[in-house]
Amino acid sequence: MELPEFELVKQRDGSVVLRATRSDGSIVWQKQERARAAFFPLHDLTHYAVESVLRIGDAFFGLIAAGWSIEDTEGKGARGSLPLNALFVEAVVGALDTERASGARWTAVEFNHSMATHMARTGRAAPLQLTDEDLSRIRKRRAELFATWEALPAGQSLRMRFPPEDSESDR
């Protein structure tokens, strides 16, 4: 069975399409326009970096690969609440998005404190503690993905498998 493939398509009109082709051949997609087209590709690539480096299979990309709709990954759809790992990954990605916007870099201690505080609001504990090495590997992978996305010409796609090949997640 072939691994699910995800594509970020940089449309010529400036919009971006996220398309997933699952192992069973089913396809789901979502289009982002205007300001959302500038934000969401980087957000989605951050998800990919976090989920692949930490090998978390039940967050955004893993849930879509397993048959969830993109809308259900917001935790408000027919499937109900998100799994613990998905909530955790969303918090990590949100913190990395904030870090990117501010230009500040958090240490693992700062990340873990923030994740513990965020997860406590949901009534749950963070499922794992990040190390400075984890963050370094995530940031490195994210930077590679961002550079590939930035260099991609309009009308082209960035394709990713999830879960990724071992060599891809360990870059």
Side-chain angles (χ1 to χ4, degrees):
M1 180 164 44
E2 197 165 311
L3 293 175
E5 182 178 74
F6 291 84
E7 289 181 273
L8 275 175
V9 185
K10 193 181 274 189
Q11 304 283 65
R12 294 185 194 286
D13 66 2
S15 65
V16 175
V17 173
L18 171 65
R19 180 176 34 238
T21 304
R22 299 185 183 114
S23 296
D24 65 4
S26 63
I27 297 173
V28 293
W29 62 276
Q30 183 177 62
K31 184 175 185 176
Q32 303 293 348
E33 298 176 304
R34 295 178 281 288
R36 295 174 67 87
F39 173 78
F40 272 100
L42 301 180
H43 178 81
D44 292 344
L45 291 171
T46 302
H47 262 281
Y48 189 83
V50 171
E51 292 173 42
S52 61
V53 167
L54 298 179
R55 300 183 185 274
I56 295 175
D58 59 346
F60 181 73
F61 283 97
L63 295 175
I64 293 171
W68 287 49
S69 71
I70 294 172
E71 293 75 22
D72 281 344
T73 64
E74 295 173 9
K76 300 172 188 166
R79 294 190 183 256
S81 299
L82 294 175
L84 175 61
N85 283 335
L87 292 171
F88 176 73
V89 166
E90 195 59 53
V92 172
V93 170
L96 287 166
D97 285 344
T98 299
E99 183 183 81
R100 178 172 45 89
S102 71
R105 282 224 163 170
W106 290 7
T107 66
V109 169
E110 292 166 323
F111 252 91
N112 291 326
H113 176 74
S114 178
M115 296 308 103
T117 301
H118 176 81
M119 295 303 292
R121 286 188 219 123
T122 70
R124 298 178 175 179
L128 69 109
Q129 297 284 300
L130 298 175
T131 65
D132 284 317
E133 182 180 329
D134 292 332
L135 289 170
S136 177
R137 289 176 41 234
I138 290 166
R139 289 177 181 126
K140 179 180 182 213
R141 183 68 181 119
R142 181 183 65 171
E144 292 167 351
L145 290 165
F146 282 7
T148 301
W149 177 251
E150 183 66 30
L152 191 71
Q156 299 293 310
S157 299
L158 172 58
R159 290 182 168 85
M160 305 165 287
R161 298 259 183 219
F162 193 87
E165 305 288 332
D166 282 344
S167 61
E168 185 178 332
S169 63
D170 290 333
R171 288 185 191 176

